Amino acid sequence: MFDYRSCNTLYVSPDGKGNGKNYHENEAGCGPLGSIGAALKFIEQMRGSGLLQPITVKLLAGEYLLNDAIYLRATMSNVTFEPFGNGPVLISGGKRITGFEKTTFNGVPCFGAYVKEIADGAWRFTDLYVDGLRAEYTRLPEGGVFRMKATENIGDSIFSPSYWFTAADEDIALFQSLHAFEDCIISFNHYWIDEHTPVKSIDRETGRINMEYRSRFTIRPGQDYILENVAEAFKNPGEWYCDRAAGMVYFIPRDDDMTPDSIEVWAPVSTYLVNIQGGENDHVTGIHFRDIKFAYTRGDYGSKMGTNGEAQTEYCASDSQAVANMDGVINVSYAHNVSFENCTLTCIGRHGINVGNGCRSVKIESCTVYDGAAGGVRICGGAYGAPESQMTRQCSVTDCKITHVGRRYLSACGVLIMHASEIDVIHNEIGDLYYTGVSCGWVWGYAKTVTRDNRIMYNHIYDLGKGKLSDMGGVYLLGSQPGTVVSGNRIHDIRCKEYGGWALYTDEGSAGILLENNLCYRTSSNSYHQHYGTSNVVRNNIFADSDDTLLKITRPEAHLNIMFTGNILYSTGKPIIAPYPTSGFEGLHTLSDGSVESYRNLMWCSAGDVCYCAGENLKTLADAQAAGLEAESVIADPLFADPANDDYTLADNSPAFAMGFRPFDWKKAGVRK
């Protein structure tokens, strides 16, 4: 006889009936079979009647198709979602497209399928996923860029947006020939953001193109851009195109093994998959997801927030930085003791997991985020001055793989921490993205902030930037955040578009941060760069093989900018440190004026003599020491095992040890097996 008081397990199935379960009648505490929605209603009824025992929702293997997110509110508590048995569980925000046949489009052999909902105008999507991977947009020009001839606003500030631009004269004829130009997407990269907007209209005589979303920042004549989702550009393996007028979806197979009958094609219906949403005085508690795959969500996004988070009435083509206003496919707010363990998020249209206001002890462990339109994890609670109930702290991202993200929104970060404290980002692999690996802090200058005591440790961060954007870091820190520690990370292969491909980057007003025991190498800019800040300690790191100087401070200020000690500085031909800039700071400061404490560092150049600085009459180490810098620093080969092949293990007789360098095992960075 069923007893609600002893019920602790509910079984659900993709068909909502339990088909496929080997059901044992005598299994103690077994609840009814049904859908996820039915299980949630059942739990609400139990909680409402005072039955508070922990509940496990067992999901039978298969695909759970959602038209809207699973909502878990304060009426829920102490619920765990996990698979039943060994079969995989997929929670999907999309639905399959079937009926593909061999055909041609734009004269190119491909697969095509008719979808009535598209022809009727009932279903419009801008993402397609084939065999577990994002299908690619078509683009013009295929290998280069177009250039804008004129733009609406040209101001001295970057905050002079435009709604329109005119195409170059030589491009107008091409644009006139495109039969569905209004279905194209305009994309352009500048500064540290990428902007994307649908076409509103085009004057085919003058070449004036009106954008549906205004640009976030100033665009000036000569700005490069591309067109995406262009029918006439359909030609390359892996590309797709939706002919909305005909109701047809076309895809060019990636390889010869693909057949119309074998491919698995998903198009998104829902933007969100799970929303765990409590209230300021009524938290959700004890929600856990384990071993579940989440996939196939919408990637449409227009920004309606200003630089400081204020709401706007019009859409912009980008957020001001890091796609910071975008939420996730999984959202958590006003919740305590929530976890995601060994889950996979793939083929998603937003950030993976978004931890918002009022959260405590949200743990993301051993999860994989792959092929995401934006970033992996976003954490942002209430800003300074907000009620205590909105503050977010004591959350963690550990042993996760966050790779191949930012596929639609390039300025997304692997992990973005804005207003939050006591956050751990530890032992993760973060790579193959176009902007910053881990970003922490969201206050510019020395204003008060809640961000503090965060730990960014033992992460393997690599393959960032790819020459698409500027002003990024392997680890990017912003604003005062006392107690924050960046330690044990291995950071390498960062490539910017114009400037700013840094490994460690303390940006405006960074203060009170400890950066130690990090290995940083192969960057297009400096290994370590500080814009401006105070009382940051950079010690016992290995900085190597930068295309620019290893170290740089951009803005001198009349206080202690940084303490730099006990580091190994391994140049492959560039100076160790850049001089203070003179433009805009005439007569203010020099490196030797006491604003920099740098001492007991080991320096070496594999390409010849060490140049300490190319300016300020500090060319040699002796010059620096005569000016009061680099006390007890030496020039000596650190005796790395094989730096040409990325092995920075120190020999037992390395002179670094005699100087007090503390060895650290950089091979431990990344996911623990």
Side-chain angles (χ1 to χ4, degrees):
M1 180 175 178
F2 185 79
D3 185 349
Y4 289 96
R5 292 169 297 178
S6 63
C7 173
N8 56 28
T9 306
L10 302 177
Y11 293 91
V12 300
S13 63
D15 64 1
K17 300 176 182 178
N19 292 340
K21 176 184 178 294
N22 182 16
Y23 181 71
H24 299 282
E25 292 291 343
N26 61 351
E27 187 171 344
C30 182
L33 296 157
S35 66
I36 294 177
L40 298 183
K41 289 181 180 179
F42 187 80
I43 295 170
E44 274 194 309
Q45 291 172 355
M46 291 179 63
R47 298 300 186 237
S49 63
L51 298 176
L52 303 180
Q53 68 265 35
I55 299 293
T56 298
V57 178
K58 296 277 192 178
L59 288 81
L60 277 66
E63 300 167 351
Y64 294 79
L65 310 184
L66 305 181
N67 292 321
D68 195 7
I70 298 168
Y71 280 88
L72 302 171
R73 306 192 189 278
T75 50
M76 296 292 209
S77 63
N78 299 321
V79 182
T80 297
F81 298 83
E82 63 185 22
F84 174 76
N86 297 320
V89 170
L90 168 66
I91 295 179
S92 170
K95 62 181 179 180
R96 291 177 185 268
I97 296 178
T98 58
F100 280 90
E101 298 178 348
K102 289 185 177 181
T103 185
T104 61
F105 180 70
N106 195 37
V108 178
C110 61
F111 303 158
Y114 174 76
V115 181
K116 186 176 185 299
E117 297 97 319
I118 296 174
D120 293 343
W123 190 17
R124 183 168 183 174
F125 50 86
T126 59
D127 306 87
L128 192 75
Y129 307 105
V130 181
D131 287 353
L133 294 173
R134 183 181 305 273
E136 300 294 331
Y137 273 144
T138 60
R139 60 162 284 176
L140 281 179
E142 184 175 4
V145 293
F146 297 117
R147 301 280 178 181
M148 298 178 185
K149 178 181 179 182
T151 58
E152 179 183 10
N153 292 317
I154 307 172
D156 294 333
S157 167
I158 66 170
F159 301 107
S160 298
S162 293
Y163 265 114
W164 60 262
F165 66 89
T166 56
D169 294 343
E170 60 270 22
D171 298 328
I172 293 177
L174 172 61
F175 295 169
Q176 289 173 339
S177 70
L178 301 180
H179 83 278
F181 191 89
E182 285 76 7
D183 283 347
C184 295
I185 297 171
I186 300 164
S187 296
F188 51 93
N189 304 338
H190 57 166
Y191 307 103
W192 47 87
I193 62 171
D194 54 311
E195 307 217 36
H196 310 274
T197 172
V199 173
K200 186 174 184 179
S201 64
I202 180 174
D203 186 323
R204 283 176 163 79
E205 296 300 319
T206 66
R208 172 168 160 164
I209 299 172
N210 296 305
M211 300 184 291
E212 187 70 33
Y213 306 155
R214 70 168 175 83
S215 68
R216 168 66 66 175
F217 292 155
T218 302
I219 48 176
R220 297 183 171 89
Q223 170 69 50
D224 58 83
Y225 69 101
I226 63 171
L227 296 179
E228 296 181 294
N229 197 42
V230 184
E232 287 80 358
F234 185 76
K235 61 182 292 188
N236 299 305
E239 291 180 343
W240 75 287
Y241 185 78
C242 180
D243 187 339
R244 292 191 293 119
M248 292 293 297
V249 175
Y250 298 103
F251 173 73
I252 303 175
R254 299 185 185 104
D255 54 58
D256 294 338
D257 293 333
M258 284 184 159
T259 67
D261 295 330
S262 70
I263 59 173
E264 181 180 296
V265 180
W266 292 84
V269 175
S270 179
T271 300
Y272 306 112
L273 297 177
V274 177
N275 285 331
I276 303 172
Q277 184 177 338
E280 286 197 45
N281 301 306
D282 197 12
H283 295 90
V284 184
T285 60
I287 302 297
H288 308 284
F289 286 85
R290 298 175 183 154
D291 302 307
I292 294 174
K293 179 179 178 179
F294 301 90
Y296 310 130
T297 64
R298 300 179 68 92
D300 317 82
Y301 179 68
S303 175
K304 293 192 73 172
M305 299 296 286
T307 303
N308 296 316
E310 70 277 6
Q312 297 181 158
T313 58
E314 57 188 357
Y315 282 110
C316 292
S318 172
D319 289 336
S320 60
Q321 187 169 323
V323 207
N325 299 319
M326 179 188 282
D327 48 16
V329 299
I330 295 175
N331 296 285
V332 185
S333 62
Y334 299 108
H336 294 178
N337 187 25
V338 171
S339 69
F340 298 88
E341 182 180 352
N342 200 36
C343 292
T344 296
L345 294 90
T346 187
C347 297
I348 54 176
R350 298 206 165 202
H351 295 305
I353 299 176
N354 171 46
V355 181
N357 286 354
C359 288
R360 303 281 192 282
S361 190
V362 176
K363 298 181 179 181
I364 304 166
E365 302 177 356
S366 301
C367 291
T368 296
V369 184
Y370 182 84
D371 201 351
V377 177
R378 176 187 183 271
I379 302 173
C380 181
Y384 181 84
E388 171 63 25
S389 59
Q390 295 183 12
M391 299 303 169
T392 290
R393 58 174 63 99
Q394 298 170 349
C395 301
S396 61
V397 183
T398 57
D399 292 293
C400 294
K401 291 185 177 181
I402 302 172
T403 59
H404 199 68
V405 294
R407 302 339 269 186
R408 280 193 67 172
Y409 304 102
L410 278 62
S411 59
C413 303
V415 177
L416 172 62
I417 305 166
M418 297 166 71
H419 303 293
S421 62
E422 301 172 74
I423 307 299
D424 283 350
V425 181
I426 298 178
H427 276 296
N428 302 287
E429 177 184 341
I430 302 171
D432 187 12
L433 55 150
Y434 298 98
Y435 193 53
T436 288
V438 178
S439 178
C440 185
W442 206 249
V443 171
W444 283 255
Y446 299 111
K448 293 180 179 180
T449 175
V450 301
T451 305
R452 60 178 302 141
D453 298 318
N454 299 305
R455 300 192 301 169
I456 304 167
M457 302 175 67
Y458 306 112
N459 301 288
H460 183 198
I461 302 171
Y462 62 95
D463 191 15
L464 309 182
K466 302 176 184 286
K468 299 291 187 181
L469 298 173
S470 300
D471 208 300
M472 73 197 71
V475 176
Y476 170 90
L477 302 134
L478 177 63
S480 176
Q481 39 187 304
T484 289
V485 176
V486 180
S487 178
N489 303 287
R490 179 186 177 193
I491 306 171
H492 59 95
D493 290 291
I494 303 175
R495 291 287 173 263
C496 61
K497 181 180 182 180
E498 295 173 347
Y499 75 95
W502 299 302
L504 297 176
Y505 178 15
T506 43
D507 199 6
E508 300 188 31
S510 293
I513 302 166
L514 172 63
L515 306 100
E516 67 177 354
N517 301 341
N518 301 288
L519 169 61
C520 304
Y521 60 95
R522 217 163 36 239
T523 59
S524 58
S525 302
N526 321 103
S527 287
Y528 177 80
H529 171 249
Q530 178 163 297
H531 185 180
Y532 67 88
T534 184
S535 303
N536 297 312
V537 177
V538 182
R539 70 187 183 199
N540 212 79
N541 302 281
I542 299 172
F543 297 128
D545 194 11
S546 296
D547 292 352
D548 202 338
T549 61
L550 292 171
L551 314 172
K552 185 176 182 179
I553 301 171
T554 300
R555 181 187 296 183
E557 293 184 308
H559 55 230
L560 177 63
N561 289 291
I562 197 164
M563 185 170 72
F564 196 86
T565 182
N567 302 286
I568 298 176
L569 308 169
Y570 187 87
S571 168
T572 52
K574 297 292 183 179
I576 299 298
I577 191 168
Y580 270 157
T582 56
S583 176
F585 305 101
E586 289 83 354
L588 285 178
H589 304 290
T590 62
L591 289 171
S592 57
D593 65 3
S595 60
V596 175
E597 288 188 9
S598 188
Y599 59 95
R600 202 180 300 123
N601 298 298
L602 186 151
M603 306 173 191
W604 187 248
C605 179
S606 63
D609 294 337
V610 170
C611 174
Y612 181 73
C613 181
E616 300 190 23
N617 296 316
L618 300 174
K619 184 175 182 180
T620 67
L621 176 59
D623 294 335
Q625 291 174 332
L629 291 164
E630 300 302 341
E632 301 182 60
S633 294
V634 301
I635 295 174
D637 187 343
L639 302 179
F640 292 129
D642 189 4
N645 290 298
D646 304 342
D647 189 345
Y648 288 89
T649 304
L650 290 166
D652 292 341
N653 60 338
S654 170
F657 298 136
M659 297 180 63
F661 186 86
R662 304 183 310 278
F664 59 91
D665 188 354
W666 50 268
K667 296 178 182 177
K668 289 184 177 179
V671 174
R672 289 167 287 198
K673 304 301 183 184

